Amino acid sequence: MLALRVVSKNTQSRLQSLFPISEIIYKFHYAIQKDIRMEFEPVIGLEVHAQLKTRTKIFCGCDTAFGAPPNTHVCPVCLGMPGVLPVLNRTVVEYAMKMALATHCTIAGKSRFARKNYFYPDLPKGYQISQYELPIAEGGYVEINADGGNSRKIGLTRIHMEEDAGKLIHDPDRPNSLVDLNRTGVPLIEIVSEPDIRSPGEAGAYLRRLRAILRYLDISDGNMEEGSFRCDANVSIRPVGSDILGTRAEIKNINSFKFVESALFYEIKRQIAVLEGGGAVVQETRLWDSNRQRTVSMRGKEEAHDYRYFPDPDLVPLVIDNTWIEAVRRTLPELPQARKARFVSEFSLPEHDAEVLTSARELADYYEACVRRINAPKLVSNWVMGPLLALINAEGKSIAHAPVSPDRMAELLVLVENGTISGKIAKIVFDEMVNTGEKPEAIVARQGLVQVTDEAALEAVVERVLAACPSEVKSYRSGKTKLMGFFVGQVMQETRGKANPQVVNTLLKNKLG
């Protein structure tokens, strides 16, 4: 919890300008008179723009593929030429409906598009087609594992559809900027949360869960680097226990989870420092400077009336009946929370394992593909969460580009499960699979890595090890039983890691008495 100590008794005169609401004035006045610690809590609401994975734009037939040469995926409609008419993409509507259903929203029977008017060089029409007073969906929630691991719900205000603007490309060597309008008209849904988030950590958890849902639904790739998942954060502070919202600042277009959390931490501390200095927080739009690790003022915060919204005269109201809603509902996949619960119940996995494995649809699919080949859920979990994720994270890859397929991983773990190789040898085989692409059985055969389980052969090795370590044997028999690990290690070294650990332990215990 963030805290501010109010120590001066001369600050009463500032209270009206800082906090004009009587309830908060009373609480501040009481704190000043008693010279006690006044605690604050942050109040955070997030606006997320998610680019939808449609083949064409929201109101025309232009391609939405990322990375094309500048200004090649454009037409008179998305360039805003006189006399053109937009035509709504049905797939965009169904994708928005999917997200609404997945987040427990109420889908409106009738919604409407509006023109949001403002001038910017990458907005060729001089307005953006969005939704205002009649969005496609309202209400709903997203469930997160909050700070400390407790589960709670973050309310959603609305989900609405809109078109994206273009992109300015700034020349670092000259005072010029270029405009790429390929992104103009690309379909977005904006997901607006209630101001229910109480910490930067909760904000990060909410965004990760939101992106996971989008990717499970396969309606957005959630790629923050390419701008297809962007976040604006609204943050203010207020005294703990108050239900009055403070003056907020908006932080625009943050493009990574880490930056969102860092920006919120900085902005909360900045607002507290403003109040400590006797100032007032100004409602404004700020930008996150990741190089200097601080937010910087961009402009005064706009209100809805600044955009002069009015219904778009070229688009009729959108009518959605229950038949359409139910048809879309039947296409929903198993979502992250439900899949996590199933992994816990069906595979007897710990909550933590299930949480990690279902954090991305591709990762959960990989895990289940392995388990279908080998009925050892915890062993598979350990290997997917351990060596496999460590490898792809180190190489900056996604699970979709894992160098070892689910079938090959299962083949390796079958060798561990049936005792052909030990866990230690399996890691050597795994590395070789990554480097060569060979099957695990072929690597084991070629390198002679089959586990030694013959008791007579291992007994001879154990006797040699004990004969070579008389002082350690004496110490063990006098009570230093932790030396068992030393003896096991010596045997494993003698056998190049191929000895069966269980057989070795049994033989050592029998020999040492």
Side-chain angles (χ1 to χ4, degrees), residues 466 469 472-473 476 483-491 508 512:
L466 296 182
C469 304
E472 287 82 0
V473 171
Y476 178 89
L483 283 167
M484 177 61 74
F486 165 78
F487 295 126
V488 172
Q490 293 299 303
V491 174
L508 283 169
L512 289 167

Side-chain angles (χ1 to χ4, degrees), residues 361-411:
R361 182 176 181 173
E362 299 85 355
L363 182 59
D365 289 346
Y366 186 103
Y367 172 78
E368 288 212 79
C370 287
V371 173
R372 281 197 296 269
R373 291 288 307 274
I374 172 174
N375 186 23
K378 182 56 180 168
L379 177 64
V380 175
S381 172
N382 291 343
W383 273 81
V384 171
M385 292 171 55
L388 182 66
L389 282 185
L391 175 67
I392 64 174
N393 289 338
E395 295 184 353
K397 296 181 178 179
S398 71
I399 191 70
H401 300 97
V404 175
S405 70
D407 284 349
R408 290 287 182 267
M409 176 66 83
E411 289 169 7

Side-chain angles (χ1 to χ4, degrees), residues 318-336:
L318 173 64
V319 176
I320 299 174
D321 60 20
N322 287 333
T323 301
W324 192 4
I325 292 173
E326 292 309 310
V328 171
R329 193 191 304 276
R330 287 192 293 271
T331 69
L332 296 183
E334 185 180 33
L335 294 170

Side-chain angles (χ1 to χ4, degrees), residues 217-490:
L217 294 171
D218 198 28
I219 63 174
S220 175
D221 61 23
N223 191 321
M224 299 185 86
E225 291 76 19
E226 295 180 2
S228 56
F229 188 87
R230 312 192 294 272
C231 173
D232 299 340
N234 293 284
V235 56
S236 63
I237 59 172
R238 67 183 179 189
V240 172
S242 172
D243 58 0
I244 306 297
L245 298 177
T247 302
R248 75 184 189 276
E250 181 185 40
I251 312 170
K252 292 288 287 185
N253 285 339
I254 320 173
N255 64 354
S256 84
F257 298 132
K258 179 182 177 181
F259 287 169
V260 169
E261 294 177 358
S262 298
L264 289 171
F265 271 119
Y266 177 87
E267 184 59 24
I268 291 163
K269 290 192 295 182
R270 184 192 72 84
Q271 292 187 21
I272 286 180
V274 168
L275 297 183
E276 282 182 322
V281 176
V282 177
Q283 183 166 321
E284 62 180 339
T285 297
R286 300 177 69 85
L287 293 177
W288 172 244
D289 186 332
S290 58
N291 293 322
R292 293 190 293 168
Q293 291 289 295
R294 62 183 299 175
T295 63
V296 293
S297 181
M298 178 184 178
R299 61 175 182 261
K301 175 73 178 92
E302 299 92 343
E303 298 290 355
H305 62 261
D306 294 321
Y307 292 116
R308 305 186 317 281
Y309 283 98
F310 63 86
D312 192 298
D314 294 334
L315 290 162
V316 298
L318 173 64
V319 176
I320 299 174
D321 60 20
N322 287 333
T323 301
W324 192 4
I325 292 173
E326 292 309 310
V328 171
R329 193 191 304 276
R330 287 192 293 271
T331 69
L332 296 183
E334 185 180 33
L335 294 170
Q337 287 292 90
R339 202 167 192 182
K340 174 188 170 183
R342 180 170 63 81
F343 276 21
V344 171
S345 63
E346 183 177 337
F347 302 130
S348 300
L349 291 179
E351 288 271 344
H352 171 71
D353 289 30
E355 179 75 25
V356 172
L357 293 170
T358 58
S359 60
R361 182 176 181 173
E362 299 85 355
L363 182 59
D365 289 346
Y366 186 103
Y367 172 78
E368 288 212 79
C370 287
V371 173
R372 281 197 296 269
R373 291 288 307 274
I374 172 174
N375 186 23
K378 182 56 180 168
L379 177 64
V380 175
S381 172
N382 291 343
W383 273 81
V384 171
M385 292 171 55
L388 182 66
L389 282 185
L391 175 67
I392 64 174
N393 289 338
E395 295 184 353
K397 296 181 178 179
S398 71
I399 191 70
H401 300 97
V404 175
S405 70
D407 284 349
R408 290 287 182 267
M409 176 66 83
E411 289 169 7
L412 173 64
L413 298 184
V414 166
L415 298 179
V416 176
E417 185 76 356
N418 65 21
T420 301
I421 59 174
S422 66
K424 184 175 181 179
I425 292 295
K427 291 178 181 176
I428 297 172
V429 176
F430 177 79
D431 291 340
E432 190 69 10
M433 290 166 64
V434 172
N435 293 330
T436 67
E438 283 185 273
K439 290 186 174 184
E441 297 94 332
I443 296 170
V444 169
R446 176 167 55 81
Q447 297 193 8
L449 298 175
V450 175
Q451 186 168 241
V452 179
T453 58
D454 181 76
E455 286 196 22
L458 291 177
E459 186 174 12
V461 177
V462 167
E463 288 176 349
R464 287 200 303 271
V465 166
L466 296 182
C469 304
S471 61
E472 287 82 0
V473 171
K474 183 178 180 181
S475 296
Y476 178 89
R477 287 172 174 162
S478 65
K480 294 184 179 179
T481 56
K482 289 185 178 179
L483 283 167
M484 177 61 74
F486 165 78
F487 295 126
V488 172
Q490 293 299 303

Side-chain angles (χ1 to χ4, degrees), residues 7-19:
V7 295
S8 172
K9 294 187 178 181
N10 297 321
T11 56
Q12 288 98 324
S13 61
R14 299 177 183 155
L15 292 175
Q16 187 62 36
S17 62
L18 290 176
F19 297 95

